[in-house]
Amino acid sequence: GTHTLTLMADSANVIAEGNETNNSLSISFTVTPPSLTGADLSIGGLSAANTSLVQGDLLVFAYALRNTGTAGAASSKVAYAIDSQPTATSYAGTNSFGTVNANSWISSPIDAISTSNLSVGTHTLYVKADSGNAVTETDESNNVSSLTFTVLGKSDFSVSAASAPATVKAGGIFNLNYMVTNSGQGSPNSYSYAAIYFDGRANA
């Protein structure tokens, strides 16, 4: 912070002077923190292929391990977890990285976590640099990055609004109308087929 240095002549007042008001001179100066040197790891560019997923889909994501410090960072691990920050012993998965030079970064591999065991709703992915505290850093408070995503309920197909004639002549036309609806949250990513059965036998 800011400090003041004061210089005073005849500080003990042993000399009778014609002017006793001009004996001091003050100088202000500022003390700044020392320049820190060392590694500083963090997670950058965390992104997911899709942040709206149907329950059971894979959350596919990637990131970069950055070193914004003035010295290289030794080998370390990055850990990730959902809905809680990973620790050295509690995580969903890890990646190992080699040395990261000062002011440089290394891209992660493509990672994926299943959403099968997640509830429908909003969740958070946490990714932590140097999860095992293997690297001494100038700033240990910026190691974690996060990403929010949504898990939707699965599809739910049903047949509704079916109508058919009560009687039909042999060899005649059987006019059938029906509707297939999806009352679930999920949007299927492939085609599906509705089957028609007569007396339990599939209609070819």
Side-chain angles (χ1 to χ4, degrees), residues 4-24:
T4 302
L5 170 69
T6 301
L7 306 173
M8 181 171 287
D10 189 26
S11 60
N13 292 319
V14 297
I15 298 175
E17 303 177 59
N19 184 359
E20 297 282 0
T21 64
N22 62 351
N23 285 14
S24 64

Side-chain angles (χ1 to χ4, degrees), residues 28-105:
S28 295
F29 62 97
T30 302
V31 176
T32 61
S35 298
L36 297 177
T37 59
D40 184 14
L41 294 175
S42 61
I43 300 297
L46 176 60
S47 61
N50 194 344
T51 56
S52 183
L53 306 162
V54 176
Q55 196 175 44
D57 286 351
L58 292 176
L59 174 66
V60 179
F61 63 96
Y63 57 89
L65 177 61
R66 302 185 304 184
N67 178 11
T68 55
T70 57
S75 299
S76 64
K77 285 188 176 183
V78 172
Y80 50 87
I82 293 178
D83 294 336
S84 64
Q85 293 191 16
T87 67
T89 57
S90 178
Y91 48 80
T94 62
N95 287 314
S96 296
F97 289 84
T99 301
V100 185
N101 295 327
N103 284 319
S104 63
W105 52 273

Side-chain angles (χ1 to χ4, degrees), residues 113-127:
I113 302 178
S114 175
T115 61
S116 295
N117 295 325
L118 297 180
S119 60
V120 172
T122 301
H123 297 272
T124 303
L125 168 69
Y126 293 94
V127 181

